[in-house]
Amino acid sequence: MSLLNSVLLPRKVKSYLSQGERFIKWDDETTTASPVILRVDPKGYYLYWTYQSKEMEFLDITSIRDTRFGKFAKIPKSQKLRDVFNMDFPDNNFLLKTLTVVSGPDMVDLTFHNFVSYKENVGKDWAEDVLALVKHPLTANAPRSTFLDKILVKLQMQLNLEGKIPVKNLFQMFPADRKRVEAALSACHLPKGKNDAINPEDFPESVYKSFLMSLCPRPEIDEIFTSYHAKAKPYMTKEHLAKFINQKQRDPRLNSLLFPPARPDQVQGLIDKYEPSGINVQRGQLSPEGMVWFLCGPENSLLVQDKLLLHHDMTQPLNHYFINSSHNTYLTAGQFSGLSSAEMYRQVLLAGCRCVELDCWKGKTPDEEPIITHGFTMTTDIYFKEAIEAIAESAFKTSAYPVILSFENHVDSPRQQAKMAEYCRTMFGDMLLTEPLEKFPLKPGIPLPSPEDLRGKILIKNKKNLFSGPADPSKELDGEAEGSPPPSDPVGEDTVWAGEEGTELEEEVEEEEESGSLDEEEMKKMQSDEGTAGLEVTAYEEMSSLVNYIQPTKFISFEFSAQKNQSYVISSFTELKAYDLLSKAPVQFVDYNKRQMSRIYPKGTRMDSSNYMPQMFWNAGCQMVALNFQTMDLPMQQNMALFEFNGQSGYLLKHEFMRRQDKQFNPFSVDGIDVVVATTLSITVISGQFLSERSVRTYVEVELFGLPGDPKRRYRTKLSPSTNSINPVWKEEPFVFEKILMPELASLRVAVMEEGNKFLGHRIIPINALNSGYHHLCLHSESNMPLTMPALFVFLEMKDYVPDTWAGP
């Protein structure tokens, strides 16, 4: 790790993308089809298209969620457009020319931009190469300098008919204080009238940077600079800069032999790169302005950038990972009413989710097509096959690691279950894992295969019956009591008997079905927090045969599970049941998760699709902590932020204490954990830049998520002294989290709020992915999308925790 090299290389834009391609952009609502030239700018910030009128439309690459081509792209419905594209003629090859780009601020509010190329197979290349830019880890985690450069690139592309930059575009780009924008333009000898325009050659990068320094001065960086530069000299020498890097920007815990400190001769490259004055560069000197740009550059990333890449060992058993998991995936809003959508399956998989849920119900005649819906609510239905098609297309676009389909099966018809199994086999093809791997038979004591072993595979979690013919449904409806012995069954040890999580409301059992009407006991069960746990229907042979490593069973007790020792058996718990178990037997819960998997899901009373905080269950090593992805509340924000790391693979390797049988781990322990060095973290919130589009007072909140024994305090700065949202400065003491017991399990949240508690932006970052030193913290939206303008300037200090009794006098 060196401050002299940024770890991640910037994205490369293929030349054909920036040269552009002719497409026809069509819109079903307006039934218009317009010729455009589609391009990506050479730095890969924007996908944009130019109409024949020279009007341009821009799409920020960070706002793109998916690209589709061929049969997965949108197809025009209006007859007028179908005629334009000769779609009703045989051999029209329309599907070889399609391209759809999906964008939006979150997973529900989506816009589809539809294009048709003049040549065949062009859409495929564009879809793949644009998505590769979107998925590059630096797209969402770029250094501050990139976000500032992005603004300049857009200004330079949005020219008026005379080929000039309209001044009004600068007012729109920096709307918080018009007078300050005018003053900054004047300081750079540029026109400032709203109807004026600037020659692009008069606004190169050097002038743009001077404009920014004038608009958003950085006195707080001048102060840091002054404390390190030659006395009475307005510059830093190479020696001063090397000293600053070694004392402030370097993690004090690093071994100086493995990670040698910076030397004066090495830092000349940084001065060459960041110092605006040519004379200073020749003399090996850095000015205060050069210092600002150095602190905005990739060498000073707040993130340990290689943590964004795939870096965990992916060859451990599946249950040794936290797995990004979704609950009632098909819902776009609340649990009781609202639209169900197959698109949600695409969106959560694209976001890196690896476990999705399908609530399957019997389709009505005449089609008898199984449906997905939230039983006994007013949510709409979608066809089961639509969801399977969406999963087949999107399963491995973001991550190559296995996808788990968690079925909640209420399809009490052998024929329709057979149809479901057939859709899975035909649409997933070789992706579907239908047999256990040779090295990992389904036997007690044999561990699960690893994510690497199961790369590119789809696993089915559905009840499995290992006897021929339909089982007696009445047996399956009986929930066994905690700790009771297993039902006597002639099938032998390996039989996994039913009793999985049900819908969180009621299950319809029609009177003409063999189950008969529901008795009073069952009605009570439906209205409980667990919903219809244990009321799933029989798994008939076709569906049952697809199940292997993820076999659901009703939980009896930790002792019973340990005795059975079956890694392929999984139990689901509502958040309340899981919390109850965790409170009473934390060490046993951790041990259970070392051997097999658990899935936690929201309690049935969360009708608004709110989420519980996942940290508590991660602390116990629970693998599938399923959340409502349509609700971007704090729990979901934390989930999104953590799973952004390890290459967005959707799998995070648990700490060895949660994996090793010879170690005992109690998440509620307040003492130090054997051989884990606790960390002391201090963060000083120094200043903010472009925090709001309005002139408002702002404040910053800082909190830690981790083990129950970690520091609990939520810190908060005072309100900024004035309604200056362009460059407020907070002169406050550091916020200190003195003893973080297990840094690998903890994360830091920093949020900026407007007076009156309005959210402006935030960031959640794992503790072990933070760099010490002065850094710009680029903020994200509530749905974890990077914001271009807002940033905080902070000072972070991390060191090994030293108890007061050991500290020196």
Side-chain angles (χ1 to χ4, degrees):
M1 171 191 159
S2 168
L3 277 161
L4 306 174
N5 298 299
S6 52
V7 177
L8 294 186
L9 293 171
R11 308 166 297 174
K12 283 213 167 26
V13 178
K14 292 189 177 175
S15 57
Y16 82 88
L17 294 173
S18 44
Q19 284 159 8
E21 179 75 47
R22 290 166 65 229
F23 283 85
I24 294 171
K25 185 174 191 299
W26 61 268
D27 185 319
D28 245 336
E29 281 182 26
T30 57
T31 68
T32 52
S34 313
V36 296
I37 295 176
L38 191 62
R39 293 186 180 92
V40 175
D41 69 280
K43 291 182 177 176
Y45 298 149
Y46 303 99
L47 175 72
Y48 65 103
W49 48 95
T50 311
Y51 293 92
Q52 288 173 320
S53 63
K54 298 287 184 274
E55 185 197 341
M56 294 164 82
E57 283 187 36
F58 289 82
L59 204 51
D60 192 318
I61 288 281
T62 64
S63 74
I64 295 175
R65 294 186 167 268
D66 196 14
T67 56
R68 297 170 194 169
F69 60 90
K71 66 176 183 177
F72 295 116
K74 290 277 183 190
I75 308 296
K77 292 192 182 81
S78 83
Q79 194 56 49
K80 182 181 166 187
L81 286 175
R82 294 181 69 83
D83 292 344
V84 167
F85 297 122
N86 295 325
M87 285 178 65
D88 298 321
F89 283 80
D91 307 323
N92 62 56
N93 291 343
F94 179 77
L95 289 181
L96 297 175
K97 301 174 184 175
T98 58
L99 171 66
T100 294
V101 178
V102 187
S103 68
D106 56 46
M107 294 184 206
V108 178
D109 183 8
L110 301 172
T111 304
F112 296 85
H113 310 270
N114 302 307
F115 302 91
V116 177
S117 60
Y118 289 81
K119 293 180 273 188
E120 292 175 9
N121 294 322
V122 168
K124 179 177 186 290
D125 292 342
W126 275 77
E128 289 172 353
D129 290 333
V130 169
L131 195 62
L133 290 174
V134 172
K135 292 295 177 186
H136 190 286
L138 280 186
T139 298
N141 296 287
R144 182 65 181 153
S145 53
T146 296
F147 287 109
L148 295 173
D149 187 42
K150 217 167 137 171
I151 296 164
L152 175 63
V153 165
K154 193 166 189 182
L155 287 168
Q156 289 173 334
M157 288 198 296
Q158 288 183 306
L159 305 177
N160 63 15
L161 295 174
E162 287 84 51
K164 294 183 175 181
I165 301 168
V167 169
K168 70 172 194 290
N169 286 2
L170 279 104
F171 293 146
Q172 285 167 3
M173 207 66 95
F174 304 99
D177 192 327
R178 183 159 168 173
K179 285 202 169 86
R180 282 176 68 164
V181 176
E182 288 171 349
L185 287 167
S186 293
C188 296
H189 311 292
L190 294 168
K192 61 178 185 182
K194 71 171 181 184
N195 297 321
D196 290 340
I198 301 166
N199 272 321
E201 56 269 27
D202 294 338
F203 202 62
E205 187 183 15
S206 56
V207 174
Y208 169 64
K209 284 184 166 181
S210 299
F211 163 78
L212 283 178
M213 292 302 295
S214 182
L215 174 64
C216 180
R218 303 297 300 275
E220 74 285 15
I221 292 181
D222 291 349
E223 276 183 38
I224 299 163
F225 182 88
T226 307
S227 64
Y228 273 85
H229 78 340
K231 293 291 171 260
K233 299 275 176 66
Y235 56 79
M236 260 191 200
T237 62
K238 285 184 285 192
E239 288 72 22
H240 295 132
L241 182 56
K243 186 180 174 188
F244 168 75
I245 288 171
N246 291 330
Q247 288 188 353
K248 293 294 181 186
Q249 303 302 89
R250 190 174 184 282
D251 191 321
R253 299 168 296 181
L254 288 177
N255 178 308
S256 57
L257 289 173
L258 294 174
F259 301 96
R263 297 190 314 273
D265 59 305
Q266 289 176 302
V267 302
Q268 179 64 45
L270 295 171
I271 294 173
D272 295 347
K273 185 174 177 182
Y274 293 111
E275 175 50 49
S277 156
I279 296 165
N280 283 353
V281 170
Q282 284 169 15
R283 293 176 180 165
Q285 296 169 349
L286 187 74
S287 66
E289 192 177 329
M291 179 75 158
V292 170
W293 300 118
F294 166 57
L295 289 171
C296 287
E299 298 83 358
N300 281 299
S301 166
L302 177 84
L303 294 178
V304 180
Q305 290 193 344
D306 53 358
K307 301 267 188 200
L308 289 164
L309 304 174
L310 190 71
H311 64 285
H312 286 176
D313 173 7
M314 301 303 279
T315 63
Q316 300 283 323
L318 208 56
N319 59 302
H320 285 184
Y321 298 82
F322 297 120
I323 302 173
N324 197 355
S325 302
S326 152
H327 168 253
N328 286 0
T329 309
Y330 50 90
L331 293 177
T332 62
Q335 301 289 307
F336 189 71
S337 61
L339 298 176
S340 300
S341 162
E343 180 63 39
M344 281 301 289
Y345 286 97
R346 289 190 173 92
Q347 291 303 318
V348 303
L349 290 165
L350 288 160
C353 179
R354 298 289 84 190
C355 175
V356 297
E357 186 174 18
L358 301 93
D359 285 358
C360 308
W361 295 79
K362 201 165 69 165
K364 297 180 176 65
T365 50
D367 301 337
E368 293 209 5
E369 280 293 343
I371 58 169
I372 290 178
T373 189
H374 200 191
F376 276 79
T377 66
M378 293 160 71
T379 55
T380 59
D381 308 341
I382 55 171
Y383 282 127
F384 175 82
K385 65 180 175 188
E386 282 177 23
I388 297 301
E389 184 179 57
I391 293 164
E393 186 216 350
S394 304
F396 301 110
K397 273 186 163 181
T398 295
S399 165
Y401 290 100
V403 169
I404 296 163
L405 307 189
S406 180
F407 279 83
E408 190 184 290
N409 198 338
H410 302 276
V411 179
D412 49 352
S413 150
R415 191 160 137 216
Q416 288 196 28
Q417 278 200 28
K419 216 174 201 182
M420 289 161 62
E422 184 57 24
Y423 286 139
C424 290
R425 287 181 188 275
T426 54
M427 290 185 183
F428 295 150
D430 290 344
M431 294 187 289
L432 185 65
L433 187 76
T434 53
E435 298 292 335
L437 305 181
E438 205 176 318
K439 287 185 191 167
F440 299 95
L442 299 175
K443 290 182 177 169
I446 304 288
L448 287 170
S450 69
E452 189 57 49
D453 293 323
L454 297 167
R455 197 182 173 90
K457 291 295 180 189
I458 292 173
L459 282 71
I460 303 285
K461 169 181 168 282
N462 188 80
K463 281 177 9 187
K464 185 174 182 73
N465 292 322
L466 301 181
F467 28 77
S468 55
D472 176 2
S474 63
K475 247 187 197 157
E476 299 195 6
L477 294 175
D478 288 341
E480 302 294 329
E482 277 300 319
S484 66
S488 55
D489 200 310
V491 195
E493 288 290 284
D494 285 351
T495 306
V496 174
W497 35 279
E500 232 289 75
E501 149 204 1
T503 12
E504 284 77 6
L505 284 175
E506 288 102 15
E507 174 189 354
E508 179 172 25
V509 182
E510 295 174 20
E511 286 190 23
E512 62 268 28
E513 295 299 325
E514 59 193 20
S515 323
S517 57
L518 299 175
D519 63 26
E520 208 174 316
E521 260 322 285
E522 288 164 342
M523 284 304 290
K524 268 187 202 160
K525 195 181 281 187
M526 283 195 242
Q527 286 150 13
S528 75
D529 181 66
E530 279 187 77
T532 56
L535 289 182
E536 269 190 280
V537 299
T538 303
Y540 297 111
E541 193 176 340
E542 286 85 349
M543 277 305 295
S544 193
S545 69
L546 300 183
V547 181
N548 34 65
Y549 291 117
I550 321 272
Q551 301 187 17
T553 182
K554 184 170 176 62
F555 178 75
I556 297 294
S557 69
F558 290 129
E559 294 77 14
F560 178 69
S561 300
Q563 180 195 334
K564 283 286 185 189
N565 194 16
Q566 294 169 324
S567 64
Y568 50 88
V569 166
I570 179 173
S571 290
S572 288
F573 308 93
T574 69
E575 59 181 287
L576 295 182
K577 177 66 179 168
Y579 179 67
D580 184 51
L581 287 169
L582 182 55
S583 311
K584 290 173 180 166
V587 174
Q588 284 179 288
F589 209 159
V590 172
D591 286 346
Y592 172 93
N593 287 320
K594 288 176 185 175
R595 182 182 56 252
Q596 62 199 93
M597 294 210 272
S598 58
R599 177 174 174 272
I600 317 300
Y601 62 99
K603 61 186 179 183
T605 49
R606 291 187 183 273
M607 300 307 291
D608 58 352
S609 295
S610 60
N611 288 300
Y612 55 89
M613 289 301 282
Q615 183 76 47
M616 181 193 324
F617 303 113
W618 289 333
N619 290 344
C622 299
Q623 297 84 357
M624 300 183 209
V625 181
L627 299 176
N628 293 308
F629 270 55
Q630 73 272 36
T631 308
M632 282 294 160
D633 50 11
L634 185 56
M636 191 59 216
Q637 288 163 0
Q638 191 189 2
N639 190 77
M640 292 281 286
L642 263 57
F643 281 107
E644 199 172 346
F645 291 84
N646 199 34
Q648 271 199 304
S649 62
Y651 287 83
L652 298 173
L653 185 63
K654 297 192 281 188
H655 191 279
E656 63 171 336
F657 275 69
M658 296 180 161
R659 296 184 274 129
R660 284 174 52 176
Q661 298 291 350
D662 62 333
K663 295 283 183 190
Q664 194 181 81
F665 175 61
N666 181 348
F668 292 106
S669 169
V670 289
D671 302 320
I673 295 148
D674 181 27
V675 307
V676 176
V677 181
T679 295
T680 297
L681 167 70
S682 87
I683 175 170
T684 309
V685 178
I686 301 169
S687 63
Q689 295 77 47
F690 304 112
L691 295 180
S692 171
E693 295 186 347
R694 304 183 304 127
S695 287
V696 289
R697 294 175 77 191
T698 51
Y699 64 92
V700 180
E701 284 182 351
V702 180
E703 64 184 314
L704 182 84
F705 303 120
L707 290 169
D710 285 340
K712 274 288 159 288
R713 187 157 173 204
R714 179 193 283 184
Y715 291 101
R716 154 178 184 168
T717 66
K718 296 188 180 76
L719 270 171
S720 54
S722 65
T723 58
N724 162 21
S725 61
I726 291 178
N727 62 340
V729 175
W730 290 273
K731 289 195 169 159
E732 296 193 21
E733 291 300 304
F735 299 147
V736 180
F737 298 96
E738 191 181 24
K739 186 183 180 186
I740 303 169
L741 294 168
M742 195 184 272
E744 291 89 340
L745 261 180
S747 53
L748 184 74
R749 177 176 186 257
V750 181
V752 180
M753 314 293 280
E754 190 181 297
E755 189 171 16
N757 300 335
K758 180 176 178 261
F759 175 92
L760 291 174
H762 77 151
R763 202 68 193 273
I764 300 174
I765 301 173
I767 298 299
N768 65 352
L770 289 166
N771 277 322
S772 288
Y774 290 100
H775 300 290
H776 286 91
L777 174 66
C778 300
L779 299 177
H780 283 190
S781 71
E782 284 169 301
S783 55
N784 203 36
M785 307 275 282
L787 299 168
T788 304
M789 303 288 283
L792 287 175
F793 184 56
V794 299
F795 179 62
L796 274 172
E797 215 169 3
M798 280 176 295
K799 52 190 185 208
D800 294 341
Y801 167 73
V802 179
D804 291 342
T805 50
W806 297 357

